[in-house]
Amino acid sequence: MEMINEGVQEYLERCRLGPEAALEVEVQFVTSAVVGLMEWWVGEGIPYPPLAMVEQLKQMLLRHFQSPDIVKLGATERR
């Protein structure tokens, strides 16, 4: 998980969603999503071929990074 975390952090440092999301929070969010998806995939007996999973993950991540205004949480101030 550390390797994924480092890769995610390097990527996010280059293309942040915005200042309202702390880098460490966003890194944890994306890393947990990737690791959780892999755990689910293996736990379910690998119901999809590896390339199909990569493509689906890529599409979900692209949607996340291209549409930062999909969800407004109202938490724009740092506490």
Side-chain angles (χ1 to χ4, degrees), residues 8-53:
V8 167
Q9 182 164 345
E10 288 173 14
Y11 179 79
L12 290 177
E13 285 173 349
R14 291 191 308 269
C15 62
R16 296 291 314 280
L17 284 180
E20 65 276 356
L23 179 61
E24 65 185 348
V25 172
E26 194 170 359
V27 168
Q28 186 60 40
F29 169 76
V30 174
T31 301
S32 296
V34 171
V35 171
L37 183 61
M38 289 189 300
E39 288 175 345
W40 170 85
W41 181 61
V42 171
E44 290 296 311
I46 307 177
Y48 300 96
L51 290 178
M53 288 301 293

